[in-house]
């Protein structure tokens, strides 16, 4: 069952630019998380936003959540070549205790 | 040095063979998970366990089996019934009372069919 869908599938920007990726989901959630995956590696947790929160910041990351539209966005400001990776949203659906459902991911390339 | 480890990094399976992927964590996490990732795709849940000696099927459990005899370990067996096993397998764990909370991932095992 696919809960999260991400947009765009791929994004290519120059170093220093901002990168925005979006995630839409279908059901009510307890929280939404963003993860990063470098090629051929495991996922690394970036940020978690709960259903009663609208915005959260962590360093150069800014996440927003709009539960009325069932969508979230991840903004990476002042991107660096090291930010090149795939980014996934994951939702903890209400009543779906114990499971996260991952989106297909956005592949970000930051050119030096 | 706490973390979650997976072995081997690469695994080759012959036709009709069962293979077991190892996942160990020393984070004292109650919950553990197995995911499958196909090229260019997201993660799909195979099995998960919220406590020792208990586990539940995920979305794509057919052709796989697991055990959870110890808190630290959650091995995944890919059986001969899994007809398309070539994929990247990721193990994860989450902390006590961490249902639906942050998951910590291992480095993954890439399974290839000979």
């Amino acid at each position: 069952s696919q809960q999260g869908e991400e947009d765009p599938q791929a994004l290519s920007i120059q170093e220093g630019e901002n990168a925005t990726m979006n995630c839409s989901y279908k059901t009510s959630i307890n929280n939404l998380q963003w993860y990063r995956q470098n090629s051929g590696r495991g996922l690394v947790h970036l940020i978690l936003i709960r259903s009663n929160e609208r915005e959260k910041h962590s360093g150069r990351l800014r996440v927003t959540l709009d539960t009325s539209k069932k969508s979230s966005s991840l903004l990476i400001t002042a991107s660096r070549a090291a930010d090149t990776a795939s980014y996934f949203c994951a939702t903890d659906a209400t009543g779906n205790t114990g499971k996260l459902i991952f989106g297909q991911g956005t592949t970000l390339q930051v050119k030096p | 040095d706490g973390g979650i480890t997976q072995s081997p990094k690469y695994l080759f399976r012959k036709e009709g063979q069962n293979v077991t992927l190892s996942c160990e964590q020393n984070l004292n996490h109650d919950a553990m998970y197995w995911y499958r990732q196909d090229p260019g795709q997201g993660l799909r849940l195979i099995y998960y366990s919220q406590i020792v000696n208990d586990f539940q099927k995920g979305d794509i459990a057919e052709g796989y089996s697991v055990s959870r005899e110890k808190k630290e370990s959650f091995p995944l067996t890919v059986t001969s019934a899994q007809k398309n096993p070539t994929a990247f397998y990721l193990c994860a764990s989450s902390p006590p009372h961490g249902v639906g909370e942050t998951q910590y991932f291992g480095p993954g095992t890439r399974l290839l069919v000979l």
Side-chain angles (χ1 to χ4, degrees), chain B residues 66-78:
Chain B
V66 293
S67 62
R68 186 85 189 276
E69 297 176 0
K70 297 188 299 181
K71 188 175 186 177
E72 302 79 19
S73 177
F74 191 39
L76 173 74
T77 296
V78 183

Side-chain angles (χ1 to χ4, degrees), chain B residues 94-106:
Chain B
S94 62
H97 311 296
V99 168
E101 297 290 326
T102 300
Q103 293 186 9
Y104 295 78
F105 283 81

Side-chain angles (χ1 to χ4, degrees), chain B residues 25-55:
Chain B
Q25 53 98 0
N26 61 4
L27 300 168
N28 196 33
H29 287 174
D30 286 323
M32 297 186 74
Y33 311 83
W34 274 106
Y35 295 92
R36 170 181 171 139
Q37 185 178 33
D38 292 283
Q41 301 295 314
L43 279 63
R44 292 185 290 167
L45 183 64
I46 305 172
Y47 269 98
Y48 64 108
S49 167
Q50 295 182 10
I51 198 167
V52 175
N53 293 322
D54 187 47
F55 49 83

Side-chain angles (χ1 to χ4, degrees), chain A residues 1-2 31 33 35 37 39-45 48 50 88 92 96-105, chain B residues 9 33 35 37 40-43 45 48 50 57-59 88 90 99-108 110:
Chain A
S1 58
Q2 191 64 43
N31 67 63
Q33 304 177 36
Y35 288 81
Q37 183 182 35
S39 181
R41 309 290 291 272
L43 276 70
V44 175
H45 179 260
L48 180 154
R50 300 193 185 279
F88 295 90
D92 169 31
N96 202 28
T97 305
K99 298 194 294 184
L100 292 180
I101 301 175
F102 285 81
Q104 302 276 44
Chain B
K9 188 173 182 179
Y33 311 83
Y35 295 92
Q37 185 178 33
Q41 301 295 314
L43 279 63
L45 183 64
Y48 64 108
Q50 295 182 10
K57 293 182 179 179
D59 299 319
F88 190 49
L90 287 160
V99 168
E101 297 290 326
T102 300
Q103 293 186 9
Y104 295 78
F105 283 81
R110 192 166 298 280

Side-chain angles (χ1 to χ4, degrees), chain A residues 41-55:
Chain A
R41 309 290 291 272
L43 276 70
V44 175
H45 179 260
L46 295 175
I47 199 163
L48 180 154
I49 187 164
R50 300 193 185 279
S51 60
N52 61 352
E53 297 175 310
R54 292 296 167 258
E55 189 170 310

